[in-house]
Amino acid sequence: GGMGGMGADVPGMGSMGSMGGMGGMGGGMGAAIPDVEPDAVRKWREERDARIQEKVAAAQAKTAEMKSQAKVDLEGVYKKREESKQRRVANNREEEQQAFQQREGSADDEGQAVWSKVGYMCDLKEKANQSVDTSRMRSLLVQMKHAA
């Protein structure tokens, strides 16, 4: 039993080995197709190849243009970011200097009470959504500031 002798049992299959498998199918048609293609087909193929080459060249040019534009845009973004950073640094330094001068200036005023200085340095405004209730501490600092 088995499938080893199956080809020998079927009539006409024994000669298949001499045809080289499937190569014998369509037998006589291979000789009818000429090796040279007609002029119309050749012309169409050349025109198609030319159109494809034009599209490829246009796509490559567009890609190169997009890359150069992206590079220019990216440089602009970096330049703008650096300018913004420099402005922010300068503003922070200026605000820090002003705050320092105010603190030092208020420390030089002997007539000003200590609690007034503390009240000036602390943020006594009520903040929304605080997890800790600081209203009593704020009211105490305000009292001390006004009492001094």
Side-chain angles (χ1 to χ4, degrees):
M3 295 167 61
M6 196 168 174
D9 295 344
V10 177
M13 293 279 285
S15 65
M16 189 185 240
S18 65
M19 285 194 271
M22 303 286 274
M25 295 182 84
M29 287 175 62
I33 298 176
D35 290 341
V36 180
E37 59 188 8
D39 286 337
V41 173
R42 184 184 49 78
K43 183 178 177 182
W44 171 82
R45 189 178 311 274
E46 289 172 357
E47 289 174 357
R48 183 195 61 169
D49 290 344
R51 283 193 308 267
I52 290 173
Q53 289 300 324
E54 288 173 8
K55 287 182 180 181
V56 167
Q60 288 174 343
K62 187 175 182 181
T63 300
E65 180 184 341
M66 288 173 62
K67 283 183 179 181
S68 68
Q69 183 64 37
K71 187 175 181 180
V72 168
D73 290 347
L74 191 59
E75 288 172 358
V77 166
Y78 286 146
K79 183 178 178 182
K80 187 176 180 181
R81 181 176 167 194
E82 186 63 29
E83 289 171 357
S84 174
K85 180 182 169 186
Q86 294 299 328
R87 279 195 311 270
R88 197 169 48 247
V89 166
N91 287 342
N92 286 346
R93 283 190 181 142
E94 184 178 323
E95 288 175 6
E96 183 180 355
Q97 185 66 28
Q98 288 175 356
F100 179 75
Q101 287 174 354
Q102 286 178 349
R103 275 196 312 266
E104 291 301 313
S106 66
D108 293 339
D109 295 338
E110 293 300 325
Q112 195 175 22
V114 174
W115 288 109
S116 293
K117 294 177 192 174
V118 171
Y120 177 76
M121 289 181 194
C122 294
D123 184 16
L124 298 177
K125 295 177 184 165
E126 192 169 340
K127 293 183 175 67
N129 299 330
Q130 275 189 323
S131 60
V132 179
D133 184 22
T134 57
S135 60
R136 186 169 176 201
M137 182 62 154
R138 261 194 322 277
S139 66
L140 183 62
L141 285 173
V142 170
Q143 269 182 344
M144 297 300 280
K145 178 180 170 183
H146 292 297

